[in-house]
């Protein structure tokens, strides 16, 4: 029958102690003809069957977009567990090492077999192989590693091992993002511009944030990257920086954004030099609550201003008017007649950010109407 | 709605900024299907316990830009603020004070603002103050007292906001008395609240009673009421405006009347997203439903629906695919929509609709799936409502 045949694939048998693994390349479009995904479920007797989660369709779509883009590459290997129907035919040891033997992997394919009787299980690479299956491509060879599993329990332990790696720390991602080219997942595409602005603020010698943002390569910084990123995102999407953004592709006029930011925050630093110099433990200005609230103040004061005009008398006066009403490093915040809070009781919560923002904007508005 | 949403891949642009890059009905449909916009404080600021519907940066921008620029309203659109009394219906007393409500109206730059009211959730046409539920009596007095304070606060601030007095009641007589007192305070615009659950005849009874004391220049607003078929009657009693989201919400909230036409209602064709439907996701996770099978069935439905729209596919093939997908999705004992779909597909109402959205999206607009299609269908319904209202003879 045409749907029964053997795939003979060039492979390398690698000896790891008593175990053997097989490295080979396979067209991803053919994977599903002999490899199944082992969905976790309970059978009628409540015994555990399988081990895999369902496909994450949004994730698959993102991989698929990438695969269909120019120059796509998938260097990490897909991991398969074979049963004993799969065999390896060695061509004998060549070269100087005795732990790697070239040969051929022989995989029996029977497309009429139900899923659970296929000779291979996908241990790692479910989402990737689904993306290849769905992609609008004729073929896409991928690297694969197989092992002959004794039983499903062993497959399960390999499955857990390959899937229990720790995600990268956020700080490292934020630092890497701006200097990345090529395709990125959607969540990172969105983050790229804010992360770039943050990096530039941290490394440009002429700005108030120079060296102050904590990142893997700036360990002495004391302003949390997350606080600054939030402020930047808020302003990019809802505030003063939106004017420089291109809504079609999400890019923007970065240099003018930086001029705008350095203009405003430079004034903040000049007017509150002491609070600016101290870490969040000793200053609410460099704390998440202060960075975000002052970000909203920036949006309110400079929404209509061109980048070059941000450093102006009006903004300086508005910030000056805050001076008697802030308690960045000591004293109390007076939010209302019977609402007083110790300087350091403010936390980086939405409620406190809102409270502080409202307070600061009210002070500025009152001063403006008087002046 | 997001103008860059891709219906074939069901994806947003990764750089889309919600609301800001998106569009309102008044930006995509002509003529604009409404004359005004009502925004509730509870939606923007939230209450004691609940958060508002906006993120903090969005909220900050609304306050900064004002309601007109935030919603990108053309000059002819009127803006009305209220407190959103339904959001605090279970509280004993409204959670806002007069000063903060006036702050909200003024900072956002509304044209008109409704006084703080407290909804009476009940109707008893013959009960007088002694017979009625004491809580109702109290709520009516709270609303009237706050309306008086509201006017005083506006006068104190020399505000340019046009005040709208909120009248509450549980009977024709109590509503009429509320309106009477509001008129005496000086209100010329009066909003009738708490009428959403009332039958049309009950609303009319109240309007008739109010008519006996209504000053000729007093204009009434019905809070949350549509009822196009009775609009002409309402107008005879001084009703000049109303607000409602029902035509919009029916697009995705109603069990069957999702797509409106001038003379009928149609059921939208449900093709839920395999990775968007929580019940289906649980079924897949538990292994009860095969994800691969569901994905294939979902795609088949979309492919056939689009083919049908182009005239390449027979209706029975579409319905077979829908039956198959419904069987996979509908694991509980919910009833089938297939017969309703047949009528929708046979009559192809979207093909004869001239609204910009139906013209542009074709059959997608009648597919019940994800918020982008559903919102567009809601916008379509608003244009239908508008055109029905154009036929009403407001003497």
């Amino acid at each position: 029958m045409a749907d029964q045949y053997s795939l003979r694939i060039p492979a390398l048998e690698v000896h790891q102690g008593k175990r053997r693994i097989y490295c080979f390349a396979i067209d991803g479009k053919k994977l599903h003809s002999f490899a199944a995904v082992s969905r976790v479920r309970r059978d009628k007797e409540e015994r555990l069957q399988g081990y895999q989660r369902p496909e994450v369709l949004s994730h698959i779509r993102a991989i698929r977009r990438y695969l269909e883009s120019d120059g796509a590459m998938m260097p990490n290997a897909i991991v398969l567990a074979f049963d004993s129907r799969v065999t390896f035919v060695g061509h004998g040891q060549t070269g100087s090492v005795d732990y790697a033997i070239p040969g051929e992997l022989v995989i029996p394919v029977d497309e009429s077999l139900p899923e659970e009787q296929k000779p291979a299980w996908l241990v790692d690479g479910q989402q990737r192989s689904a993306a290849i299956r769905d992609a609008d491509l004729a073929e896409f060879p991928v690297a694969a590693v197989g092992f002959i599993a004794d039983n499903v329990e062993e497959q399960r332990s390999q499955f857990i091992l390959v899937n229990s790696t720790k995600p990268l720390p956020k700080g490292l991602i934020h630092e890497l993002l701006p200097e990345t080219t090529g395709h990125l997942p959607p969540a990172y595409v969105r983050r790229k511009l804010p992360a770039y602005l943050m990096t530039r603020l941290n490394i440009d010698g002429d700005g108030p944030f120079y060296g102050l943002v904590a990142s893997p390569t700036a360990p002495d910084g004391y302003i949390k990257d997350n606080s600054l990123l939030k402020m930047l995102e808020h302003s990019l999407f809802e505030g003063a920086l939106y004017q420089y953004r291109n809504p079609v592709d999400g890019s923007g006029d970065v240099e003018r954004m930086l001029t705008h930011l350095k203009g405003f925050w430079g004034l903040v630093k000049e007017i509150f030099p002491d609070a600016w110099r101290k870490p969040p433990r000793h200053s609410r200005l460099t704390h998440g609550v202060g960075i975000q609230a002052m970000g909203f103040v920036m949006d309110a004061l400079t929404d209509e201003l061109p980048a070059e005009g941000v450093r102006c008398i009006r903004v300086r006066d508005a910030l000056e008017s805050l001076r008697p009403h802030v308690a960045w490093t000591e004293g109390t915040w007076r939010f209302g007649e019977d609402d007083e809070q110790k300087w350091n009781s403010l936390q980086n919560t939405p409620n406190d950010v809102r409270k502080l923002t409202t307070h600061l904007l009210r002070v500025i508005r009152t001063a403006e109407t008087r002046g | 709605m997001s103008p860059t949403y891709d219906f074939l891949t069901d994806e947003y642009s990764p750089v889309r900024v919600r609301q800001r890059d998106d569009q309102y009905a008044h930006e995509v449909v002509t003529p604009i299907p409404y004359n005004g916009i009502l925004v509730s404080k509870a939606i923007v600021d939230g209450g004691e316990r609940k958060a508002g519907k906006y993120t903090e940066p969005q909220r900050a921008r609304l306050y900064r830009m004002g309601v007109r620029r935030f919603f990108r309203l053309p000059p002819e659109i009127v803006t009305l603020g209220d407190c959103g009394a339904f959001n605090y219906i279970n509280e004993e007393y409204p959670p806002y004070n007069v000063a903060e409500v006036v702050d909200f109206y003024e900072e956002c730059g509304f044209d008109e603002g409704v006084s703080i009211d407290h909804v009476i959730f009940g109707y008893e046409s013959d009960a007088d103050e002694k017979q009625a539920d004491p809580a109702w009596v109290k709520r009516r007095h709270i609303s009237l007292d706050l309306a008086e304070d509201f006017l005083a606060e506006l006068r104190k601030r020399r505000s340019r906001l046009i005040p709208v007095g909120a009248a509450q009641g549980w009977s024709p007589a109590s509503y009429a008395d509320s309106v009477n007192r509001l008129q005496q305070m000086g209100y010329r615009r009066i909003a009738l609240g708490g009428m959403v659950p009332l039958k049309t005849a009950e609303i009319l009874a109240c309007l008739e009673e109010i008519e006996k004391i209504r000053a000729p220049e007093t204009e009434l607003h019905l809070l949350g009421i549509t009822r196009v078929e009775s609009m002409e009657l309402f107008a005879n009693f001084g009703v000049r405006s109303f607000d409602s989201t029902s035509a919009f919400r029916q697009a995705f909230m109603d069990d069957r009347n999702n797509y409106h036409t001038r003379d009928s209602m149609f059921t939208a064709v449900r093709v839920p997203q395999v990775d968007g439907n929580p019940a289906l996701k649980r079924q897949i996770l538990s292994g009860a439903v095969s994800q691969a099978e569901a994905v294939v069935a979902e795609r088949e439905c979309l492919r056939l629906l689009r083919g049908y729209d182009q005239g390449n596919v027979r209706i029975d093939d579409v319905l077979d695919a829908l039956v198959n997908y419904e069987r996979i999705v509908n694991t509980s004992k919910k009833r089938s929509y297939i017969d309703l779909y047949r009528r929708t597909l046979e009559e192809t109402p979207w093909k004869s609709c001239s609204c910009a959205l139906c013209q542009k999206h074709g059959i997608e607009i009648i597919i019940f799936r994800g918020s982008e299609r559903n919102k567009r269908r809601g916008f379509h319904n608003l244009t239908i409502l508008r055109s029905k209202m154009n036929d009403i003879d407001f003497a």
Side-chain angles (χ1 to χ4, degrees):
Chain A
M1 265 164 70
D3 56 2
Q4 281 185 25
Y5 53 93
S6 283
L7 276 174
R8 297 183 74 91
I9 303 165
L12 203 59
E13 182 181 73
V14 178
H15 295 216
Q16 285 180 335
K18 287 186 291 188
R19 305 300 305 252
R20 279 139 202 238
I21 57 172
Y22 303 95
C23 308
F24 57 101
I26 177 87
D27 177 6
K29 290 275 182 197
K30 293 208 177 102
L31 261 176
H32 293 268
S33 65
F34 62 86
V37 171
S38 173
R39 293 258 182 275
V40 68
R41 65 195 181 281
R42 297 263 167 199
D43 65 14
K44 289 199 186 74
E45 279 80 45
E46 294 294 322
R47 280 179 311 222
L48 187 65
Q49 299 288 333
Y51 48 86
Q52 300 231 19
R53 62 182 167 159
E55 294 177 359
V56 183
L57 298 177
S58 56
H59 186 184
I60 291 173
R61 246 188 330 247
I63 305 173
R64 181 183 161 184
R65 286 277 159 282
Y66 169 65
L67 291 174
E68 290 170 353
S69 70
D70 276 347
M73 175 169 82
M74 192 181 273
N76 46 346
I78 283 172
V79 179
L80 297 162
F82 295 122
D83 69 17
S84 55
R85 282 172 288 176
V86 176
T87 53
F88 177 76
V89 184
H91 296 163
Q93 189 186 330
T94 56
S96 59
V97 295
D98 61 359
Y99 49 76
I101 297 156
E104 271 181 333
L105 213 49
V106 185
I107 305 171
V109 179
D110 179 350
E111 286 176 6
S112 63
L113 279 182
E115 283 286 292
E116 63 275 12
Q117 288 173 31
K118 290 187 169 163
W121 297 101
L122 268 165
V123 175
D124 185 39
Q126 180 194 191
Q127 319 292 346
R128 277 171 286 155
S129 62
I132 297 169
R133 176 195 66 203
D134 295 350
D136 204 3
L137 299 165
E139 63 165 28
F140 194 86
V142 287
V145 173
F147 62 94
I148 308 234
D150 297 333
N151 50 45
V152 71
E153 285 76 15
E154 189 188 350
Q155 291 180 26
R156 249 178 226 141
S157 85
Q158 287 299 325
F159 175 71
I160 291 172
L161 284 173
V162 298
N163 284 299
S164 58
T165 50
K166 226 180 162 161
L168 290 175
K170 283 271 179 332
L172 182 58
I173 291 179
H174 296 149
E175 186 136 18
L176 295 176
L177 260 189
E179 312 206 24
T180 306
T181 52
H183 194 93
L184 286 169
Y188 290 158
V189 173
R190 215 180 152 75
R191 269 276 155 101
K192 194 168 172 174
L193 180 55
Y196 180 72
L197 290 172
M198 177 170 73
T199 307
R200 282 286 301 275
L201 287 174
N202 210 13
I203 61 176
D204 284 8
D206 64 340
F209 287 99
Y210 178 52
L212 298 192
V213 188
S215 78
T217 60
D220 297 333
Y222 50 78
I223 296 178
K224 287 263 184 336
D225 57 349
N226 234 357
S227 310
L228 192 56
L229 270 180
K230 257 194 199 159
M231 182 276 286
L232 292 169
E233 283 180 3
H234 291 171
S235 186
L236 271 171
F237 300 154
E238 303 291 337
L241 299 183
Y242 184 84
Q243 59 177 315
Y244 312 113
R245 181 179 161 276
N246 177 353
V248 178
D249 62 3
S251 67
D253 185 341
V254 170
E255 296 310 318
R256 295 195 73 212
M257 289 180 187
L258 287 166
T259 306
H260 196 120
L261 287 162
K262 289 173 190 171
F264 178 81
W265 292 93
L267 288 173
V268 173
K269 181 186 174 186
E270 285 166 33
I271 289 166
F272 306 110
D274 185 48
W276 192 254
R277 217 179 305 122
K278 291 178 173 165
R281 218 160 15 100
H282 299 296
S283 165
R284 290 297 113 158
L285 178 58
T286 55
H287 189 276
V289 69
I291 295 288
Q292 283 188 71
M294 288 301 278
F296 287 125
V297 169
M298 173 180 80
D299 290 338
L301 288 174
T302 66
D303 214 357
E304 314 276 88
L305 292 178
E308 302 72 24
V310 170
R311 263 192 89 90
C312 65
I313 304 281
R314 188 176 71 82
V315 176
R316 181 187 289 276
D317 285 351
L319 290 173
E320 281 286 356
S321 72
L322 290 176
R323 213 197 284 264
H325 303 276
V326 292
W328 299 125
T329 56
E330 59 188 352
T332 50
W333 295 98
R334 274 183 275 279
F335 293 125
E337 277 171 27
D338 38 38
D339 188 3
E340 289 201 11
Q341 269 181 257
K342 197 159 172 276
W343 74 272
N344 60 357
S345 70
L346 288 183
Q347 296 307 318
N348 192 9
T349 60
N351 258 342
D352 280 4
V353 171
R354 183 197 278 203
K355 207 168 192 178
L356 181 57
T357 307
T358 312
H359 169 71
L360 299 172
L361 290 175
R362 194 185 298 133
V363 170
I364 288 171
R365 214 170 22 226
T366 316
E368 276 182 347
T369 44
R370 277 205 203 113
Chain B
M1 51 168 253
S2 167
T4 55
Y5 187 79
D6 184 335
F7 284 102
L8 292 179
T9 60
D10 274 313
E11 281 177 321
Y12 286 99
S13 154
V15 296
R16 165 206 180 206
V17 175
R18 210 175 240 280
Q19 203 272 344
R20 211 150 191 194
D21 293 347
D22 295 349
Q23 291 177 319
Y24 291 102
H26 57 260
E27 295 175 297
V28 285
V29 196
T30 47
I32 296 175
Y34 32 76
N35 302 89
I37 172 171
L38 180 146
V39 181
S40 296
K41 179 169 165 61
I43 298 298
V44 175
D45 291 340
E48 294 278 285
R49 278 165 234 164
K50 270 186 271 181
K53 298 278 182 203
Y54 291 109
T55 64
E56 196 51 36
Q58 283 175 327
R59 181 182 162 275
R61 186 162 59 83
L62 170 55
Y63 271 89
R64 199 165 67 239
M65 290 185 156
V67 66
R68 192 165 288 284
R69 280 180 59 215
F70 182 83
F71 291 104
R72 302 181 295 269
L73 298 171
E76 64 270 27
I77 296 269
V78 181
T79 60
L80 170 64
D82 84 345
C83 290
F86 268 97
N87 290 277
Y88 52 81
I89 195 159
N90 295 322
E91 315 262 331
E92 206 191 325
Y93 201 83
Y96 308 124
N97 64 47
V98 170
E100 66 180 330
V101 169
V102 175
D103 281 347
F104 168 66
Y105 293 159
E106 294 210 309
E107 282 180 44
C108 296
F110 284 100
D111 300 317
E112 307 180 10
V114 183
S115 64
I116 309 177
D117 60 338
H118 210 16
V119 176
I120 295 171
F121 208 70
Y123 188 78
E124 214 172 308
S125 64
D126 299 324
D128 64 21
E129 284 230 344
K130 293 196 188 72
Q131 299 152 329
D133 183 334
W136 298 355
V137 176
K138 194 172 166 212
R139 281 178 175 229
R140 195 174 77 94
H141 285 288
I142 289 172
S143 302
L144 288 170
D145 290 346
L146 287 168
E148 196 155 22
D149 296 348
F150 181 70
L151 264 194
E153 180 74 19
L154 291 182
R155 285 197 189 113
K156 193 177 95 189
R157 299 193 191 192
R158 299 170 190 277
S159 175
R160 286 164 54 200
L161 184 86
I162 298 170
V164 181
Q168 290 287 344
W170 60 85
S171 64
S174 57
Y175 270 111
D177 184 65
S178 294
V179 170
N180 193 26
R181 290 184 193 218
L182 290 166
Q183 287 185 151
Q184 281 165 7
M185 291 175 204
Y187 283 102
R188 287 297 167 262
R189 292 268 291 143
I190 293 174
L192 305 179
M195 288 190 161
V196 174
L198 299 197
K199 298 189 182 77
T200 300
E202 293 168 339
I203 296 176
L204 281 169
C206 293
L207 289 173
E208 276 174 45
E209 194 64 27
I210 291 167
E211 189 61 14
K212 293 178 188 161
I213 51 88
R214 185 173 69 89
E217 67 274 20
T218 298
E219 299 181 341
L220 299 178
H221 176 94
L222 296 179
L223 286 164
I225 305 285
T226 330
R227 317 213 186 165
V228 185
E229 62 290 351
S230 313
M231 274 308 153
E232 220 167 316
L233 278 171
F234 292 165
N236 293 335
F237 294 112
V239 173
R240 290 291 168 267
S241 55
F242 68 90
D243 64 274
S244 172
T245 52
S246 73
F248 178 72
R249 286 166 59 94
Q250 279 187 314
F252 46 91
M253 298 294 280
D254 203 278
D255 190 40
R256 50 172 71 196
N257 296 327
N258 310 120
Y259 180 93
H260 302 179
T261 64
R262 285 295 300 262
D263 356 86
S264 191
M265 305 267 197
F266 290 88
T267 305
V269 180
R270 287 154 169 80
V271 187
Q273 286 163 293
V274 170
D275 52 347
N277 183 304
L280 185 54
K281 264 163 107 171
R282 278 194 300 275
Q283 294 287 334
I284 288 169
L285 197 58
S286 75
V289 167
S290 149
Q291 186 179 32
E293 199 191 341
V295 170
V296 169
E298 175 196 14
R299 287 185 192 162
E300 190 66 358
C301 286
L302 290 174
R303 190 179 68 80
L304 292 173
L305 280 165
R306 288 170 185 148
Y308 176 73
D309 197 30
Q310 278 153 19
N312 310 325
V313 171
R314 291 182 314 128
I315 188 166
D316 286 319
D317 294 337
V318 187
L319 288 168
D320 286 348
L322 290 168
V323 169
N324 179 42
Y325 191 37
E326 193 180 68
R327 183 184 54 76
I328 294 171
V329 179
N330 232 356
T331 43
S332 60
K333 284 151 239 104
K334 275 197 339 202
R335 60 181 192 79
S336 168
Y337 288 98
I338 297 299
D339 292 336
L340 302 168
Y341 295 162
R342 178 180 288 280
R343 171 172 170 259
T344 303
L345 293 174
E346 273 172 356
E347 299 198 23
T348 61
W350 66 93
K351 288 201 182 216
S352 44
C353 176
S354 60
C355 88
L357 291 165
C358 290
Q359 294 280 313
K360 175 163 182 205
H361 298 295
I363 198 166
E364 303 288 344
I365 201 142
I366 208 136
I367 301 177
F368 194 124
R369 170 186 175 85
S371 72
E372 288 298 326
R373 286 180 185 78
N374 297 348
K375 281 183 201 160
R376 282 164 173 78
R377 189 165 56 254
F379 287 1
H380 155 89
N381 287 351
L382 288 175
T383 70
I384 296 295
L385 176 63
R386 170 82 191 213
S387 90
K388 284 184 192 166
M389 292 198 51
N390 284 348
D391 286 358
I392 298 174
D393 179 23
F394 294 106

